[in-house]
Amino acid sequence: MQFVIVGTGGQGILFASKSLGHIAMEKGRSVVGSEVHGMAQRGGSVVSHFKVGEYLSPLVKVGEADVLLAFDQNEAVRNLHYLRDGGKLVVNLYDPEAFENDRLQSSLDRRKIEVHPVEGYSILKEHMGGRFLFLNVLILGAMCGAGVGGVSMDEMSQAIRDLAPARFVDENLKVLKLGYEAAR
């Protein structure tokens, strides 16, 4: 299974990769990964390549990712080329109309990309008082809810319990469930 996780600096992409790695290693699977940071501290692009299985290189080749987790809709579009035909996209949308242009939809349809949109900022604003630092866990919950990535909600919940700072575990589990329900 090959993942590409994209977003901007400060969205918790590395924690998401770490959570997926933790789950895979708990199952006794091999994991390799790599992170690419642009101007992450200034809100620039962050890309994490992550593979579960017997791979030698951590980088995902163009057109070979099974899953693209996008914490930002613009980063999703910028990195769609990593997805294989028939791949799955879980994307945080904050301007759904911008994501629904004809050219983009035609490309997604032609490549049979399965899209699982979640309006993460709206959910976090409504249920978490706008604490957007939980976006990463919301997207992981949406991934589980959409049945993408071969990770169950129980496995992800345990990873959050194991890895999140103790003072944030309950809130992360709440957000994980919100993401799960949003994608079902």
Side-chain angles (χ1 to χ4, degrees):
M1 180 77 66
Q2 299 185 69
F3 296 83
V4 174
I5 306 170
V6 301
T8 58
Q11 290 186 313
I13 291 165
L14 303 184
F15 181 80
S17 295
K18 188 175 177 180
S19 299
L20 290 170
H22 182 78
I23 293 166
M25 291 193 306
E26 288 290 313
K27 294 178 177 178
R29 310 278 316 268
S30 297
V31 172
V32 292
S34 178
E35 298 142 8
V36 178
H37 302 262
M39 294 292 285
Q41 292 183 350
R42 295 183 183 211
S45 298
V46 177
V47 179
S48 177
H49 291 223
F50 183 80
K51 297 178 178 178
V52 177
E54 301 302 320
Y55 295 98
L56 297 176
S57 168
L59 297 179
V60 176
K61 291 181 182 175
V62 168
E64 293 192 359
D66 300 293
V67 177
L68 176 62
L69 297 180
F71 296 13
D72 180 277
Q73 66 186 44
N74 293 327
E75 293 300 320
V77 173
R78 193 182 337 263
N79 290 283
L80 273 174
H81 61 285
Y82 281 110
L83 268 178
R84 65 173 172 75
D85 289 353
K88 297 172 179 25
L89 167 65
V90 179
V91 56
N92 173 37
L93 292 182
Y94 46 86
D95 184 6
E97 289 181 21
F99 203 76
E100 294 175 357
N101 73 65
D102 291 341
R103 189 171 173 196
L104 176 60
Q105 289 304 311
S106 175
S107 176
L108 293 170
D109 291 345
R110 181 177 34 79
R111 296 183 57 210
K112 299 183 182 357
I113 303 294
E114 187 178 302
V115 180
H116 300 276
V118 59
E119 294 185 33
Y121 293 135
S122 296
I123 293 168
L124 292 172
K125 189 172 183 179
E126 180 181 344
H127 296 280
M128 300 300 292
R131 297 173 63 202
F132 301 130
L133 67 122
F134 293 107
L135 181 65
N136 56 351
V137 175
L138 186 94
I139 297 296
L140 290 173
M143 181 188 79
C144 294
V148 170
V151 176
S152 74
M153 185 65 166
D154 288 341
E155 292 168 332
M156 188 59 73
S157 295
Q158 187 59 52
I160 297 302
R161 283 188 200 92
D162 292 345
L163 299 173
R167 66 180 188 215
F168 295 121
V169 168
D170 290 342
E171 290 175 303
N172 273 303
L173 291 174
K174 176 182 175 182
V175 170
L176 185 69
K177 187 175 179 185
L178 290 169
Y180 181 84
E181 291 169 353
R184 291 188 57 98

